[in-house]
Amino acid sequence: QEHEVEKMFTLKPGRLPQADVKNIIFFVRPKLELMDIITDNVLREDRGRSPQRDFHILFVPRRSLLCEQWLKEQGVLGSFIHREQYSLDLIPFDGDLLSMESESAFKECYLESDQTSLYHAAKGLMTLQALYGTIPQIFGKGECARHVANMMIRMKREFPGSQNSIFPVFDTLLLLDRNVDLLTPLATQLTYEGLIDEIYGIQNTYVKLPPEKFAPKKQGEGGKDLPTEPKKLQLNSAEELYAEIRDKNFNAVGSVLSKKAKIISAAFEERHHAKTVGEIKQFVSQLPHMQAARSSLANHTSIAELIKDITTSEDFFDNLTVEQEFMSGIDTDKVNNYIEDCIAQKHPLIKILRLVCLQSVCNSGLKQKVLDHYKREILQTYGYEHVLTLNNLEKAGLLKPQTSGRNNYPTIRKTLRLWMDDVNEQNPNDISYVYSGYAPLSVRLAQLLARPGWRSIEEVLKMLPGPHFEERQQLPTGLQKKRQHGENRVTLVFFLGGVTYAEIAALRFLSQMEDGGTEYVIATTKLINGTSWIKSLMEKLEPAPF
Amino acid sequence: MSRARADEEEYWHSSKFRAFTFDDEDDELSQLKESKRAVNSLRDIVDDDDDDLERVSWSGEPVGSISWSIKETASSSTSSLEGRDSSLQKGSSSYAAFPKQVSSYSLSSLFKGRNKLPSFQSLSDALSDTGIKNYAPELRKPKADYKDYSSDWSPKDTVRRMQRGKVCSLERFRSLQDKLVLLDEAVAGHDGNVITAVLIFLKRTLRREILFRELEVRQVALCHLIHFLKETGEQKLLLDLLRFLDRTEEVALSQYREHLNIQDVEKRREFLKGCIGLPFSAEDTSHIQDHYTLLERQIIIEANDRHLESAGQSEIFRKYPRKASILNMPLVTTLFYSCFYHYTEAEGTFSSPTNLKKTFKIPDKQYVLTALAARAKLRAWDDVDALFTTKNWLGYTKKKAPIGFHRVVEILQRNNAPVQVLQEYVRLVEDVETRLNLATKYKCHDVVIETYRDLKDRIQLTAYKCKVERGSAEEDKINSILNN
């Protein structure tokens, strides 16, 4: 509004909403579906109205020639007076988290072999380096990581002027392919934030929750209907309480909430001791903060209650048990009863696919007979058209027959200590707390890179897909860091193909470890969970609306 | 409800936050109430605003009573978190958490010609606003600045200009040689957008065979073209290309995918028939065959049943009108449907469950589960009974279930089977502990009592006495056992 923008609308097909404005700007991702909506908008525009409105289009993050071609074919390209791009590669989500919010990145890289998103990742990293200094060390694991590193080096070479004189903030960049660690996103996240995402889905730091638990408790409104609109909340570390509990194992959240409740209640009690005007004034001045803390606490208590209803259900427990069995290597080579039961009861297909893929990954592929059995049951129960989705999963390496006849997973698990039997959920001493036993492979790689270095795990690295590598970017002598004793190194970890909240929690945990010596900042193509991830790989089964 | 509440309270270690509903009658609190109302109404306003913004911006400044006031104090944060808190306060969405040297940064020549790039910090502010602000003066630039048809750019420069989002004419590249150099340059630049643009140009200007041949040795460009054709739905060219490359399975799958766009069932059936011969993997071939057979079957059943239903003669359809058509439903759903409406039909008819079972080789387990669910829904307990009764050659009958009787019990229970029916199957559960659990859970008193009797567990039996009704037959039973 301060830039004289009258109104903002969400993009939807049909006639544009009425607004007395001259210029209309479309802010879009370069996707063909969106182009169709815009075409529709433009074509339905009232020609006769005056003054005639001008259209402009802004592509985020890149101007797409394909999209322009498409608009041209629809005969509306000429309607746009300006076509520009808004180079927004990495969007800051939190103090230590950047995301490209490109949902299809994983699918494009591993199914379609389209590396455009990698190009954008490299661009984003160049921007970051322009602002925060050249990153002297680059490590990586996986095909895509290799590509991104190559592009960065190339871009640097082609633009020698990009050598900047900024003191580097990051010491190390670690590029990780999602397909190096296919396992982690499939497992159910057990941190507070992870569970909110698993159950309700966090969209751009917002979550929509069922309203029942948030009904205002006021006197005289007993008969009033419950709100029907979902309750919408923003979640990020600006909220003091949330910052404290988001990365905790859910089983440790309850005690924090009750402790907070006591503190706040004590604070409110102080009003009784306020005797003088000055004291009352001081108390009142603190009110806004106390109110905020109170409502924050009430919200999170409600959310925790909602989650607890689910985590204490029998089915959640059974599902988790099976997951943990697979991850600790039990019975991964035969048809699992629970999965069969779930299929028979027609549980959501995505849940089934998550479990079957998890089993496949934990067994380095399933025995042909087992795989065929699952496939048959899935197709018969959910429809034959899902053959397409199963093929996609196979292509992505999530669901596959065991080819080599050897199961590498036990070796990987043991060497990287992916399964920890003694987890402390309340006061964790290892990253495995985020999955109550399983330590995310990706984060373990980051941890081992910092200490003692990857040389110690060469054998396992060879078992994981894609090359691992190290590159150095020369810094001018004046900029080389002289490290103070006790100063932490800063590592930027870039997950190509998505990262889960639990993995972020694990990295934050490592940052906070007293003797860790490394702080982590996280970047990714997209924040994912098992469900949204599998969904992105599924074939869209509804026919297009035209 | 009250039980659940008690649980919750226990879980929260009897947390006291409930005291903050501000419902206490304390007079001193009237001012508090007022301020709360004020805060609430303020939040309403802010929220609305926020809603509006949120749709377009990914990272709007957190507006809400929580965040702004939290900045005022970070006093109660625990020491281990302190380091982070101090940076987090500055804003989750503001990038200020990183140290930076604002004064010295100037965007490098990498971004030359893209001076529209907004300064990085401003990304955090509602991004749309800043964007527009930065754009406004730009819009007045003459168009000619961006377009440059006249100059004679080399392939390399052309690609580079395109990467920077400038419009370039590709028409100058006439010879095949030039075009291929251009393509290779684009591929080397790794920018999918440019690669695709060049491919569109090549697709328009090259003969198909030549294009295919050249792409075969350029895998990256090839992948982009395939992706592009999929996106734009140029099915025919895509299939030609895949065939040329001998990627037969992909041809088959891609062709099969087409059926999803066919709404008319008859046409869809015809189309699927045509898919059967396609070169799928052996495994998939049988699935596609089944898919066709199933749809064919559904069309026949649908026509028959719609007729039956509208005629109003058939009791089952009158009593349980169909909620939806059976067309395009999965196999197991179809089986359920057939067990529901056509259970007693002879194997010869297309709609009989046994026929479906045979045609699609449905495993016993799956069949029994589905039939059980369907018959239980109709409360046809005799059919349920028959499902698990087998006769051996001596004529003795025996109860057997391929799915385990505990599952049978669950399904029956979900369909509200009466206790008499339920306990018959609970009794058949082999594992004693499971049996006791189920029997207790579903109040099959007889089974519980008998099991304890067989276990000779007097203590448990005595304890159970308080769970049955006083003066009931069950109580008598317990007493008589205990007295023996």
Side-chain angles (χ1 to χ4, degrees):
Chain A
Q1 264 122 5
E2 54 186 285
H3 306 289
E4 292 172 25
V5 176
E6 281 279 329
K7 224 164 177 172
M8 285 186 254
F9 303 105
T10 17
L11 198 59
K12 53 174 179 270
R15 194 184 264 270
L16 282 172
Q18 286 298 320
D20 196 19
V21 288
K22 173 99 176 97
N23 292 302
I24 291 184
I25 301 172
F26 293 96
F27 249 94
V28 285
R29 292 266 173 190
K31 285 196 183 145
L32 290 182
E33 306 98 87
L34 300 179
M35 294 307 114
D36 287 321
I37 296 175
I38 292 181
T39 305
D40 194 44
N41 283 168
V42 172
L43 289 179
R44 281 166 190 251
E45 172 70 3
D46 191 358
R47 299 275 156 211
R49 78 192 294 283
S50 68
Q52 208 158 29
R53 296 200 270 201
D54 291 342
F55 294 105
H56 314 276
I57 194 160
L58 281 180
F59 291 108
V60 185
R62 294 289 317 279
R63 213 168 141 175
S64 153
L65 297 160
L66 174 58
C67 287
E68 294 189 0
Q69 170 91 4
W70 190 258
L71 290 173
K72 198 170 174 183
E73 277 166 27
Q74 311 289 319
V76 292
L77 188 68
S79 311
F80 295 99
I81 296 181
H82 290 280
R83 304 187 300 273
E84 299 295 340
Q85 64 187 13
Y86 183 85
S87 302
L88 182 72
D89 286 316
L90 285 163
I91 305 161
F93 265 60
D94 222 315
D96 58 354
L97 179 60
L98 299 159
S99 171
M100 289 165 59
E101 282 308 286
S102 151
E103 279 138 300
S104 48
F106 183 83
K107 186 181 183 190
E108 280 168 13
C109 289
Y110 298 101
L111 281 188
E112 327 270 10
S113 311
D114 179 337
Q115 288 155 0
T116 311
S117 55
L118 299 183
Y119 174 79
H120 289 201
K123 281 234 127 157
L125 283 165
M126 293 312 280
T127 314
L128 216 56
Q129 290 193 88
L131 292 169
Y132 298 107
T134 308
I135 306 173
Q137 265 188 317
I138 305 176
F139 291 91
K141 171 72 188 161
E143 289 293 343
C144 295
R146 181 72 261 182
H147 267 293
V148 171
N150 286 350
M151 278 187 255
M152 286 171 69
I153 292 164
R154 199 187 130 101
M155 286 174 186
K156 195 176 170 207
R157 200 177 51 232
E158 283 180 5
F159 301 95
S162 65
Q163 187 65 264
N164 60 39
S165 52
I166 297 170
F167 202 75
V169 171
F170 301 108
D171 300 280
T172 311
L173 166 67
L174 172 59
L175 295 159
L176 280 178
D177 273 34
R178 185 72 269 176
N179 85 333
V180 170
D181 174 14
L182 293 170
L183 197 166
T184 304
L186 293 169
T188 304
Q189 311 172 66
L190 295 176
T191 57
Y192 181 55
E193 186 168 40
L195 275 168
I196 296 177
D197 188 39
E198 293 278 347
I199 298 168
Y200 300 106
I202 300 175
Q203 288 285 334
N204 309 318
T205 74
Y206 278 88
V207 65
K208 282 185 181 162
L209 298 160
E212 295 79 26
K213 296 254 180 189
F214 298 95
K217 287 174 194 145
K218 279 183 198 151
Q219 273 181 329
E221 288 186 47
K224 218 176 170 188
D225 289 326
L226 286 171
T228 45
E229 286 274 299
K231 168 100 175 168
K232 205 165 164 188
L233 281 179
Q234 190 181 27
L235 302 172
N236 62 35
S237 293
E239 192 182 341
E240 193 184 346
L241 177 63
Y242 189 61
E244 187 179 340
I245 59 175
R246 64 193 302 185
D247 298 325
K248 283 196 187 307
N249 185 294
F250 183 64
N251 284 336
V253 168
S255 59
V256 176
L257 289 180
S258 79
K259 225 179 283 161
K260 288 279 160 187
K262 279 180 201 136
I263 293 170
I264 293 186
S265 119
F268 273 95
E269 280 311 306
E270 269 177 30
R271 68 173 186 270
H272 295 302
H273 308 303
K275 293 276 187 283
T276 67
V277 176
E279 279 169 352
I280 291 173
K281 195 176 170 194
Q282 198 194 351
F283 179 78
V284 170
S285 73
Q286 283 173 0
L287 268 180
H289 174 245
M290 285 162 69
Q291 295 278 11
R294 183 195 65 87
S295 81
S296 163
L297 182 66
N299 279 340
H300 287 291
T301 309
S302 302
I303 297 174
E305 279 176 41
L306 284 168
I307 291 176
K308 195 169 163 285
D309 285 347
I310 289 167
T311 52
T312 48
S313 72
E314 208 174 311
D315 192 60
F316 185 89
F317 180 77
D318 290 347
N319 185 60
L320 196 63
T321 311
V322 173
E323 281 182 13
Q324 302 215 329
E325 275 175 15
F326 287 159
M327 292 189 289
S328 52
I330 302 169
D331 285 344
T332 50
D333 57 350
K334 48 185 177 212
V335 173
N336 180 282
N337 274 330
Y338 175 72
I339 298 182
E340 269 202 312
D341 284 358
C342 288
I343 296 176
Q345 291 169 38
K346 262 200 133 174
H347 284 213
L349 176 58
I350 292 190
K351 173 183 172 182
I352 309 289
L353 294 176
R354 267 179 88 159
L355 283 170
V356 176
C357 290
L358 183 70
Q359 187 178 356
S360 170
V361 174
C362 290
N363 200 51
S364 307
L366 295 167
K367 282 191 181 141
Q368 192 67 48
K369 249 176 84 183
V370 176
L371 181 63
D372 290 348
H373 179 85
Y374 280 137
K375 275 188 172 179
R376 185 162 209 95
E377 297 248 298
I378 289 170
L379 295 178
Q380 290 189 338
T381 307
Y382 297 95
Y384 290 106
E385 58 276 19
H386 293 289
V387 109
L388 296 166
T389 295
L390 295 179
N391 264 287
N392 285 351
L393 295 174
E394 209 163 315
K395 234 172 152 184
L398 278 162
L399 185 64
K400 57 177 187 188
Q402 208 179 63
T403 41
S404 63
R406 243 183 72 83
N407 181 2
N408 282 331
Y409 178 70
T411 321
I412 299 172
R413 188 186 71 231
K414 278 175 210 143
T415 320
L416 298 181
R417 294 182 299 121
L418 297 185
W419 186 260
M420 307 296 273
D421 277 319
D422 47 343
V423 261
N424 187 341
E425 292 167 345
Q426 305 289 332
N427 297 301
N429 48 15
D430 182 72
I431 55 167
S432 56
Y433 84 93
V434 298
Y435 287 99
S436 291
Y438 166 73
L441 196 161
S442 54
V443 182
R444 201 58 111 197
L445 288 181
Q447 189 184 11
L448 288 168
L449 176 68
R451 201 184 313 178
W454 275 359
R455 204 156 297 162
S456 60
I457 49 165
E458 283 280 334
E459 285 303 309
V460 168
L461 283 175
K462 275 183 203 146
M463 287 177 188
L464 298 168
H468 55 283
F469 59 89
E470 179 184 350
E471 298 283 351
R472 277 174 193 280
Q473 302 197 86
Q474 209 56 48
L475 289 176
T477 33
L479 292 178
Q480 273 157 22
K481 233 181 202 176
K482 289 170 208 76
R483 194 157 301 285
Q484 308 281 303
H485 184 70
E487 195 187 342
N488 280 343
R489 298 175 61 82
V490 182
T491 297
L492 174 66
V493 188
F494 202 125
F495 290 85
L496 301 162
V499 67
T500 65
Y501 287 98
E503 287 173 297
I504 296 169
L507 283 170
R508 286 184 182 147
F509 171 76
L510 290 180
S511 298
Q512 282 166 35
M513 286 225 302
E514 271 173 24
D515 53 348
T518 308
E519 270 179 52
Y520 294 93
V521 174
I522 303 134
T524 183
T525 50
K526 173 80 190 165
L527 290 159
I528 58 167
N529 60 45
T531 303
S532 66
W533 189 40
I534 296 279
K535 211 177 199 166
S536 77
L537 291 170
M538 284 173 78
E539 204 65 38
K540 284 192 195 70
L541 293 176
E542 306 83 48
F546 27 78
Chain B
M1 171 64 204
S2 65
R3 200 180 68 92
R5 196 181 172 121
D7 279 354
E8 278 161 17
E9 275 180 4
E10 193 182 291
Y11 176 77
W12 299 119
H13 306 286
S14 63
S15 83
K16 276 186 183 150
F17 70 92
R18 274 174 212 286
F20 287 101
T21 45
F22 286 91
D23 285 344
D24 30 354
E25 304 289 40
D26 202 335
D27 266 357
E28 277 180 42
L29 264 182
S30 58
Q31 43 177 335
L32 272 182
K33 280 184 188 168
E34 226 170 81
S35 73
K36 183 197 178 204
R37 227 171 285 133
V39 170
N40 278 346
S41 61
L42 181 73
R43 196 191 308 137
D44 283 343
I45 299 164
V46 175
D47 269 353
D48 278 348
D49 214 345
D50 193 27
D51 258 345
D52 236 20
L53 257 170
E54 191 273 337
R55 268 177 224 129
V56 263
S57 83
W58 289 271
S59 58
E61 190 66 44
V63 271
S65 53
I66 297 162
S67 33
W68 57 256
S69 57
I70 252 167
K71 287 175 191 165
E72 294 171 11
T73 81
S75 53
S76 59
S77 63
T78 55
S79 60
S80 70
L81 281 168
E82 225 156 46
R84 267 184 57 203
D85 275 355
S86 57
S87 67
L88 293 171
Q89 275 172 53
K90 284 189 194 157
S92 52
S93 48
S94 119
Y95 209 71
F98 292 126
K100 59 183 162 195
Q101 290 95 337
V102 183
S103 56
S104 59
Y105 87 67
S106 69
L107 293 175
S108 58
S109 66
L110 170 69
F111 304 108
K112 244 183 210 163
R114 284 208 310 167
N115 37 9
K116 283 140 282 173
L117 188 98
S119 70
F120 206 72
Q121 323 130 270
S122 62
L123 293 190
S124 51
D125 310 334
L127 60 97
S128 40
D129 286 9
T130 0
I132 286 151
K133 183 184 173 190
N134 280 353
Y135 267 86
E138 293 291 329
L139 293 177
R140 259 151 239 144
K141 258 189 174 175
K143 264 188 192 175
D145 260 19
Y146 299 112
K147 301 193 177 177
D148 206 342
Y149 292 113
S150 54
S151 348
D152 206 12
W153 303 100
S154 72
K156 196 170 192 159
D157 290 334
T158 307
V159 166
R160 222 173 272 173
R161 287 179 61 79
M162 283 164 76
Q163 280 184 356
R164 282 183 222 147
K166 300 202 175 185
V167 180
C168 282
S169 160
L170 302 177
E171 305 297 334
R172 299 182 305 99
F173 300 96
R174 294 259 166 77
S175 73
L176 178 62
Q177 187 59 32
D178 282 355
K179 287 174 187 172
L180 291 176
V181 171
L182 182 69
L183 180 62
D184 289 339
E185 276 299 332
V187 169
H190 283 105
D191 184 351
N193 184 26
V194 177
I195 300 175
T196 307
V198 173
L199 283 169
I200 295 172
F201 169 64
L202 294 190
K203 192 182 120 223
R204 206 179 60 225
T205 56
L206 282 181
R207 274 224 316 282
R208 205 172 267 197
E209 303 80 64
I210 299 172
L211 178 68
F212 289 178
R213 193 190 66 213
E214 294 299 337
L215 286 182
E216 201 178 3
V217 293
R218 290 173 173 80
Q219 282 298 316
V220 177
L222 181 65
C223 291
H224 278 271
L225 183 64
I226 291 173
H227 187 194
F228 159 69
L229 293 175
K230 267 187 202 160
E231 284 272 301
T232 51
E234 286 179 67
Q235 186 70 5
K236 198 173 164 315
L237 188 59
L238 175 64
L239 291 178
D240 285 346
L241 175 60
L242 292 174
R243 256 184 230 118
F244 172 83
L245 297 166
D246 235 15
R247 285 155 70 162
T248 51
E249 211 183 314
E250 268 178 69
V251 175
L253 284 171
S254 179
Q255 203 155 342
Y256 169 73
R257 183 182 288 115
E258 274 289 281
H259 86 266
L260 295 167
N261 298 325
I262 302 172
Q263 296 298 315
D264 182 84
V265 273
E266 283 293 338
K267 279 188 194 143
R268 191 184 263 213
R269 183 180 61 102
E270 275 310 303
F271 186 87
L272 285 174
K273 195 175 181 181
C275 286
I276 293 173
L278 295 173
F280 292 101
S281 67
E283 191 43 34
D284 288 347
T285 305
S286 75
H287 295 318
I288 306 303
Q289 169 81 51
D290 281 353
H291 191 177
Y292 164 72
T293 317
L294 179 63
L295 186 59
E296 190 184 35
R297 209 50 86 73
Q298 286 170 338
I299 291 174
I300 298 169
I301 298 175
E302 177 68 23
N304 258 328
D305 289 0
R306 195 184 301 145
H307 179 75
L308 272 176
E309 191 175 31
S310 58
Q313 299 291 312
S314 164
E315 198 194 324
I316 179 97
F317 285 111
R318 238 181 311 149
K319 227 166 140 188
Y320 304 96
R322 302 187 310 157
K323 287 198 189 79
S325 112
I326 193 62
L327 295 172
N328 294 319
M329 291 295 168
L331 175 61
V332 171
T333 314
T334 315
L335 179 65
F336 180 89
Y337 175 95
S338 127
C339 286
F340 196 88
Y341 290 111
H342 304 278
Y343 195 60
T344 51
E345 277 171 27
E347 203 185 306
T349 60
F350 278 142
S351 48
S352 87
T354 31
N355 187 309
L356 284 174
K357 179 174 188 254
K358 248 194 174 154
T359 314
F360 295 97
K361 301 195 192 68
I362 299 171
D364 252 356
K365 225 169 155 180
Q366 184 71 271
Y367 177 80
V368 168
L369 271 175
T370 315
L372 173 63
R375 299 324 284 172
K377 191 152 200 145
L378 286 168
R379 313 181 75 76
W381 309 121
D382 289 345
D383 289 339
V384 171
D385 187 58
L387 209 50
F388 302 109
T389 311
T390 47
K391 266 196 187 122
N392 68 7
W393 54 278
L394 283 172
Y396 294 118
T397 60
K398 208 184 152 208
K399 296 276 189 198
K400 250 179 74 183
I403 50 172
F405 279 106
H406 64 284
R407 293 287 310 283
V408 177
V409 172
E410 272 168 32
I411 292 170
L412 288 174
Q413 200 274 333
R414 232 178 291 142
N415 286 288
N416 303 319
V419 174
Q420 291 84 345
V421 176
L422 214 51
Q423 71 179 13
E424 195 180 324
Y425 295 95
V426 175
R427 198 169 275 144
L428 289 166
V429 174
E430 272 195 32
D431 181 61
V432 179
E433 202 154 316
T434 322
R435 194 194 316 152
L436 269 174
N437 275 339
L438 285 171
T440 320
K441 194 161 147 197
Y442 301 133
K443 301 200 167 59
C444 302
H445 301 309
D446 279 351
V447 184
V448 180
I449 297 166
E450 285 160 27
T451 311
Y452 283 138
R453 184 196 60 201
D454 296 346
L455 290 171
K456 304 203 189 315
D457 192 336
R458 286 189 72 91
I459 304 163
Q460 289 290 344
L461 197 55
T462 317
Y464 196 73
K465 222 164 86 170
C466 63
K467 298 227 174 116
V468 299
E469 261 175 68
R470 206 164 272 278
S472 65
E474 285 89 1
E475 199 189 33
D476 293 347
K477 197 168 168 182
I478 295 177
N479 285 330
S480 83
I481 295 169
L482 286 174
N483 292 334
N484 273 326

